[in-house]
Amino acid sequence: GDDFLAPTGTALEVFNTDPLWVGLTLAVISCLETIRLLQTEPGTRTDAKILEVGLYPEQSPEKLAEYSLKELQNGRLAMLAFAGAVVQELVNETPLILNLQN
């Protein structure tokens, strides 16, 4: 069946159909992120407690700076990819999945 948030399939239609769901979604995400932020110590908000899990086998400051730079570049690439998908839907006025299938 059709998606109740975006019946035509375009992701951006969600903002035009039901602002209540969009507002509730953003409110839940904001609450969860605020709780996560309040649970961390002020000086340790940069590592997200991944050093304790053992994600980095080598914990030298140089290696951590390299990992941090790679993560920042990966995040920037992901934001560009998302912006490209949004622009493609806006320009073509067709759902992204149909553009990928053609």
Side-chain angles (χ1 to χ4, degrees), residues 62-82:
E62 296 85 19
K63 203 66 167 167
L64 290 177
E66 179 185 342
Y67 288 142
S68 178
L69 178 63
K70 287 179 181 180
E71 185 66 26
L72 184 63
Q73 291 173 340
N74 186 32
R76 289 176 178 163
L77 181 63
M79 287 187 282
L80 282 174
F82 178 75

